[in-house]
Amino acid sequence: MSDPKSYRPTNLPNDPGVYRFFDKNDKIIYVGKAKNIKNRLNSYFGSNLQIKTRRMVNTAVRVDWTVVNTEVEALQLEFTWIKQYSPDFNVQFKDDKSYPYLAIDLNSEYPRLFISRAKKIAGVKYFGPYSHAWALRSTFETLIKIYPVRTCSESNFQTAKRNKRQCLLGDIGKCVAPCVEWVDQSEHRKLATDLASFLEKSPEEISLRIEEEMKVASNMQEYERAAKLRDQLEAINKAFESTDRFLNQNIDADVLAIHEEITHAALSQFIISSGRITGSRSWIIDRANLLEDESIISALIGKVYGDSIPPSEILVDSLPVDHEVLETWLSEKRGKSVELMQPSRGEKFDLVQMVKRNANQSLIQYLSKRANDAAVSGSALAEIAEQLELVELPLRIECFDVSNIQGTSMVASMVVFEDGQPKKSDYRRFSISDDLDFDDTKAMYHVITRRFKRYLEEKDVDLVDSKIAGGTRPKFAYPPQLVVVDGGKPQVNAAAKALQDLGITDVALCGLAKRLEEVWLPNNSEPVIFPRHSEALYLLQKIRDEAHRFAINFHRSKRSKLMLESLLDDLSGLGEARKKALLTHFGSVTALRSATESDISEIPGIGEKMAKSIVEQLKVVINANKIDTETGEILGA
């Protein structure tokens, strides 16, 4: 790590420009733009930098800058350098797919239709990207039936011209064979232009024009041409009859949305043409090195439109701070006005939310695959061990959470993660009597004591003498390398006292507080602060959230059972035996309420008359008290 003071620049200009930080290997690690270079660069050498910004500044050994005339020029140069150098601390887009495009080379003497996975050829019109290659292939086959432009390579086209023999596509009607002059150059170009218009515009416009041409040909008794136009019209209608158009056909826009989590973010782009989704794409961003004030949406706009022409309207879920500069840059690229818009209501708002949900699903799929990556789990465990100064990797982590409502219906959960993955067979639930009058800290002491008393009882079990099937040790006999409690300093100290009272000193302990995601250690006055977007913190949060989920589910079940007992007390004609039978059979208000008279009458001791009385009384009590039948909670009149 270098000392930033050693390379802090002086005599900085007040002009707009772009700056670059270099590491000791002279590699560019960060590129940024500034309206005022002097003010922006001086901000990197202050004393109150955020964690990742400080790490970047300490990694760098020098910084240089380039002055430009306007902020828009600075934005353009920033995008260019980020694309060229891929700096570690700038937004890095991960795309595990290479999405296909439909392309029409209108610059060619005889335009050609083809599928491409790269948008690099100047003068070629690209449509997409398409998220499913198989769907694009099907569309491609339909299109060349409607508009039989040439699809062959240049070498095959020239060979056909020399031999004066069309290829198979010409023989089967999927090409008008300009190579053998079935149509002349102008007719073929018009066909290709019509195809481009068909993909860009509403198909209804094309259908109406073809229908008019068909009528004209029919009136002129050109029946063969009219028949071809008829077949073309049928193919167009068929191609789009199964395409969902659920948007206003006047919507022509790109929609960009982001879903962010602790360690990663997902970005999705939908391309809308005439109210129809014609393409979609998603990217994943690793936030490990991303500076705190880095704008993800600005970087996405630079990524998407750096090599393509933007549409007239771009809908986003959040306007970037520099949206005015971005609009100017986009308008210059398009040659016409481009508007960045954040809809707040209506159809466009719903569309943005749909794209945001799509980004969320992309991130879920990515993280679910990543969760099974042993290398990722291993690095997270290693970071936890380093941050908490553990003597060994926490290969087995147990997490405890207490759940209650104002001290009643108290329960606790224990979840187990081994090698960074949940081991659900070892999960445990603890029911705590309301008579004990525990608060959260006393409950935590109680639960930790119960769990580790079992450990002390079972750890020395002799497998030879035991009657355990297969000679397997009891599950509580395995000690964790790390115990995590859901809570802050009070909960951690309560758990530490429980371990101390049992004489257990070889189990590490920490707590994760929800408010600021601080990690507390026993008897420490200050918490350990993990990097905000670290894999280690993400794993601890994942474990804590799983313990919370497991505790909440048990708590709801227990509360629902208690509410059923209370509800049965309000029903007349039920003795203790009948109440117990109903409670055992149904277990919750929801189950009892959904039961029919015949279901209830089948329970021993309850006949048809009593079943009818119970159903009638339930309706009165539940409607009067407005009971949430899922949780058993009385919501009040």
Side-chain angles (χ1 to χ4, degrees), residues 394-495:
L395 299 180
R396 180 182 171 101
I397 300 176
E398 294 180 2
C399 184
F400 296 82
D401 181 37
V402 174
S403 180
N404 66 87
I405 289 183
Q406 297 178 340
T408 63
S409 304
M410 187 169 281
V411 299
S413 68
M414 179 187 96
V415 300
V416 180
F417 275 61
E418 290 191 353
D419 299 326
Q421 304 299 318
K423 189 178 183 183
K424 295 191 176 183
S425 61
D426 284 9
Y427 284 16
R428 291 294 182 272
R429 302 184 301 186
F430 301 86
S431 187
I432 302 171
S433 173
D434 291 344
D435 297 336
L436 297 175
D437 194 27
F438 281 164
D439 59 14
D440 280 358
T441 54
K442 289 180 180 178
M444 187 62 71
Y445 177 92
H446 174 76
V447 170
I448 295 292
T449 300
R450 284 171 62 181
R451 186 269 179 262
F452 284 95
K453 269 188 176 179
R454 288 284 301 275
Y455 162 64
L456 294 175
E457 293 169 1
E458 297 175 357
K459 69 173 184 174
D460 297 322
V461 170
D462 189 335
L463 297 184
V464 176
D465 296 335
S466 73
K467 297 180 181 179
I468 300 172
T472 304
R473 295 180 69 190
K475 291 181 178 179
F476 274 110
Y478 293 93
Q481 282 82 35
L482 176 65
V483 169
V484 179
V485 299
D486 181 13
K489 189 175 181 180
Q491 287 81 4
V492 172
N493 288 340

Side-chain angles (χ1 to χ4, degrees), residues 104-279:
I104 304 175
D105 183 7
L106 295 175
N107 276 0
S108 176
E109 182 180 1
Y110 291 91
R112 171 181 169 237
L113 176 69
F114 61 100
I115 293 174
S116 172
R117 290 186 178 268
K119 294 176 64 177
K120 295 181 179 179
I121 306 174
V124 174
K125 277 199 170 186
Y126 291 92
F127 302 92
Y130 294 84
S131 55
H132 299 290
W134 60 267
L136 178 57
R137 296 285 176 188
S138 177
T139 303
F140 185 86
E141 290 297 317
T142 303
L143 286 173
I144 59 177
K145 290 178 183 177
I146 304 170
Y147 296 98
V149 299
R150 82 174 184 96
T151 57
C152 58
S153 65
E154 188 62 29
S155 61
N156 288 344
F157 183 75
Q158 295 300 331
T159 300
K161 284 183 71 174
R162 286 195 304 270
N163 297 336
K164 298 189 182 300
R165 178 71 177 92
Q166 73 277 4
C167 64
L168 177 62
L169 291 175
D171 290 334
I172 62 176
K174 291 186 177 180
C175 179
V176 292
C179 53
V180 292
E181 299 181 352
W182 283 5
V183 295
D184 60 27
Q185 183 180 347
S186 62
E187 288 177 310
H188 185 266
R189 178 165 292 278
K190 183 178 182 300
L191 195 65
T193 305
D194 286 348
L195 173 56
S197 298
F198 175 75
L199 293 169
E200 288 174 340
K201 299 179 181 178
S202 170
E204 283 82 357
E205 297 178 23
I206 307 296
S207 297
L208 288 173
R209 184 179 60 76
I210 292 177
E211 191 171 357
E212 289 174 2
E213 290 182 9
M214 181 179 67
K215 290 178 180 177
V216 170
S218 179
N219 291 336
M220 295 179 65
Q221 297 184 352
E222 296 178 358
Y223 299 119
E224 187 175 344
R225 182 167 178 267
K228 288 183 178 179
L229 289 168
R230 179 203 61 202
D231 295 341
Q232 196 176 74
L233 183 62
E234 289 178 357
I236 289 173
N237 294 333
K238 184 177 179 181
F240 284 92
E241 67 184 4
S242 60
T243 302
D244 292 331
R245 171 183 280 155
F246 54 92
L247 302 171
N248 188 317
Q249 68 176 16
N250 294 322
I251 296 180
D252 287 284
D254 280 7
V255 188
L256 307 176
I258 301 172
H259 181 85
E260 299 185 65
E261 294 287 352
I262 297 299
T263 58
H264 293 81
L267 308 97
S268 282
Q269 173 197 19
F270 274 28
I271 301 167
I272 312 297
S273 179
S274 299
R276 185 177 285 110
I277 299 174
T278 59

